[in-house]
Amino acid sequence: MSAFTGTGRLARLALRRDRVRLAIWTLGSPLIGYALAESVASIYPEEQNRLGYVEVANSSVVARAFNGPVASSDLGAVVVTETYLTLAVLTALLSTFAVIRHTRQNEETGRAELLGAAAVGRYALLTAALVVVVGANALAGALLAVAFIGAGLPAAGSVAAAAAIVGVGLAFTGVAAVTAQLSVTSRGANALAAAAVGVAFLLRATGDVLGQRSTDGLRLDSAWPTWLSPLGWGTQIRAFGDERWWVLALPAVLLIAGVAAAYALAERRDVGAGLLAARRGPARAAAGLLSPAGLTWRLHRGALIGWAVGVAVLGLAMGLAGHEVDDMIADNPAAAEAIAQLGGGDELVDAFLAAMLGLFALTIGAYVVQALLRVRGDESDGILEPLLATAISRHRWLGTQVVGAVLGALALMLLAGVTTGLGYGLAAGDPVGWTVELTGAALLWLPALLVVAGVVTALFGALPRWSVALSWAVLIAFLLLGQLGAALDLPQAALNLSPYTHVPSVPAVDVTVLPLVLLTAAAAALLAIGLITFRRRDTPT
Amino acid sequence: MSVISIENLVKTFGGVRALDGLDLRVEPGEVHGFLGPNGSGKSTTIRILLGLLRRDSGQVRVLDGDPWRDAVALHRRLAYVPGDVNLWPNLSGGEAIDLFGALRGGLDGRRRDELLRRFDLDPTKKCRTYSKGNRQKVAIVAAFASDVELYVLDEPTSGLDPLMEAVFQEEVRQLTQAGASVLLSSHVLAEVEALCDRVSIIREGRIVESGTLAELRHLARTTVTVETGRPVTGLAELPGVHEVRPVDGRVRLEVEPEHLDTLLAHLVRFEVRALTSTPPTLEELFLRHYGEATDSEQRPAAGGTR
Ligand SMILES: Nc1ncnc2c1ncn2[C@@H]1O[C@H](COP(=O)(O)OP(=O)(O)O)[C@@H](O)[C@H]1O
Ligand SMILES: [Mg+2]
């Protein structure tokens, strides 16, 4: 039996386990690419618009940090600038999570031991994971290239742009192969790999911010930190500009080095063991943990802190970007119209800021859904059962979870208002005034978030087995109604189904109180339904 | 006043009748064995006793309260160990124990430390790194360190090794010496034989046998092997005698306990030289109710599967 025996069978098993995820990944990324290419083409139809775009994008600190350099004033280059980092970060995370799912997670749950006892070689598990993930990257990349070409972009640039994304996926596949060997838990391995993605983002952002701009403003040469980042390499290929194909060698080298290191580590360790010891916890609980509220805080604080960091960084960036809105779209009526449609009102900056707060409210809706659905996760994992067998009533338990999720959303929304206001105020010269104004505006979104919490709670109480899928479906429906509803000319009755439709988008328009009261009442009714139905039902797994 | 009394309990899941007119009584101070193979309805019964599931019909009283309506008040007075323990992966074992104790209304710190030592459990490990047996120990320590009137244990030892099983049995005896009552669901016959004052055997959602071990033995046949000077005749005509077989010069037969007397009176006429009589083991009792067809389900090995 060789060290690779069984790889084919394990790869088929991984494909079967992940068939839905892989389908979403390989089809989703080209679909996003195609849709964004179409929408960029409609916003920047003329070379003239795009020259303005390139000039602003290569000079604005915010644009440099979040988008990287623009390779040229070709339509394709603008499309790449607008899509690259989203797709690259998504691909990086999907690749790392998939590698770890099929390696460390199998070991952690003991499945690997079962498999290892069957006719399966020492390297088979890792090799099967790599085959599947590299294959998925290649397929998604090929479809992405086809999507760009289908959207009317030149073939060479389309292939280079897709290859840049594939390169990112392969580079982080190599990283994840190593972290899966280091940590004993899949959570730890995922965290290490995700941290690597974060570091790569920061390195690239730093390098791009510090880069040298040519005198005509049309070219930005990134500084050296960008070259240390797999996310930076993708921008250095300069798709739709003067393509530098040799840069693709960098991710290939990282993949090979990572895989070689992973095989070497796998050779030296036992199944189930890692190179980093599992962290220990306290032998006794701190007093603060010993209540439903204390437990809730403990279970959510990690995610909440992560969200807070993300919201704060985005808020500051959006605020600072707000000051550049006028310059960026001064001679671009299509973009101005898009923003006005999202935000409403006459003042472009106010519309922009209001639209940003609305987007924050939608995103933070995802926090509410994720935090509250934890009750369902605990129920189906059997964690809820011994808990409800203690002297904690069902109402108290679910109520604590709802309050925890809503307080978390309140904190995040406040943070979004404060940082956006501060960012814009600093640039515009009135930090205190703008912070106060946008913080107030941000709080107006809370009733909509309460409705989201109410929907999840009601679904959890009434339809526990369906609550996870339905909750996300409802949030996505709200998102689509808000973002596309007006563009698609949907009737107002349909738009009214989303609570986000009813929140006045201050500062673009004036405050109206009645809709906020009605939203809160609807939320209260939904919460009551959830609490009552949960009290009356079994606790199915 | 019984600690637990169930009459004619019915619970269905969709079309499946998991409990079909179940009766069960647990008296104060006793360890009551709740015996049955996988899928017979033990966990369903226990979940109803804890107010986690709603009954379809029947009477259920726990500590003189209604388990659904009075759940919170009752849960202060009882402790539960589930068959398949799952815990918050990022809490340490010690934190989980303290949390369960606190949510139940308090925990004896000295007892907790003693139990941790006796069960040889490291409380600083994160729950995600515990094996099934160790997760079960967390639940056992959390329950046994609580000073309550009733302990509800659902196959609590299915992941423990024999050494820990012995510790578990000693600790259960200590609980009852302190006056507590225990409902112990199990399919480990040796454990039930060692611990239980009374036993109820459940099959397909009904109790098919209930009583002290002595009473149950009484219901089953005793195996008698006898060696006589002259060939024994007329056995088949005796009341309550079954399965008569010659075994190399001796005769083996089964006899119902109440007819033992008649049998002995009959045998002495044939010059008895040796005689052994074996009372039925719990295993035989059990098999009598389940037959060979379901044999594979009764092996006390696999433990809970989900
Ligand atoms: N939540 C549920 N949904 C559907 N069927 C269930 C559920 N819980 C238990 N059952 C069924 O009820 C029967 C009894 O199960 P259970 O009480 O878990 O048995 P035991 O604990 O004795 O192994 C089984 O047939 C099982 O499949
Ligand atoms: Mg069970």
Side-chain angles (χ1 to χ4, degrees), chain B residues 42-43 154-155:
Chain B
K42 302 183 295 294
S43 298
D154 190 0
E155 302 193 13

Side-chain angles (χ1 to χ4, degrees), chain A residues 160-161 163-165 232-239 242-245 247-248:
Chain A
I165 304 278
W233 299 338
T235 62
Q236 298 309 317
I237 292 168
R238 304 184 66 84
D242 47 342
E243 281 100 2
R244 294 189 281 197
W245 296 97
V247 177
L248 286 172

Side-chain angles (χ1 to χ4, degrees), chain A residues 185 187 279-285 289 298 381 383 385 388-391 393-394 535-536 538 541, chain B residues 11 47 51-54 68 72 75 80 86 90 92 94-95 98-99 103 112-113 122 124 126 128 306:
Chain A
T185 64
R187 214 179 119 105
R279 274 202 296 152
R280 292 183 171 259
R284 285 176 180 286
L289 175 66
R298 171 68 179 274
D381 288 348
I383 296 180
E385 199 168 89
L388 291 179
T390 69
S393 74
R394 292 189 185 201
R535 174 70 184 92
R536 283 157 181 252
D538 290 348
T541 54
Chain B
K11 174 73 188 177
R47 290 190 176 113
L52 297 169
L53 295 182
R54 238 185 139 129
W68 182 263
V72 173
H75 292 171
Y80 167 51
N86 282 298
N90 50 340
S92 72
E95 287 180 313
D98 288 349
L99 184 65
L103 296 182
R112 166 199 192 272
D113 294 343
D122 178 354
T124 64
K126 298 279 180 147
R128 80 162 61 82
R306 292 169 76 99

Side-chain angles (χ1 to χ4, degrees), chain B residues 37-44 46-47 83-84 154-155 185 187 304-305:
Chain B
N38 293 331
S40 53
K42 302 183 295 294
S43 298
T44 303
I46 286 175
R47 290 190 176 113
D84 198 356
D154 190 0
E155 302 193 13
S185 115
H187 55 200
T305 48

Side-chain angles (χ1 to χ4, degrees), chain A residues 435-460:
Chain A
T435 302
V436 170
E437 164 137 21
L438 290 194
T439 304
L443 287 182
L444 296 179
W445 290 95
L446 197 62
L449 289 166
L450 277 174
V451 172
V452 173
V455 169
V456 180
T457 310
L459 287 170
F460 169 70

Side-chain angles (χ1 to χ4, degrees), chain B residues 234-249:
Chain B
L235 279 175
E237 287 81 62
L238 287 179
V241 171
H242 309 268
E243 313 266 337
V244 182
R245 303 184 294 276
V247 185
D248 34 283

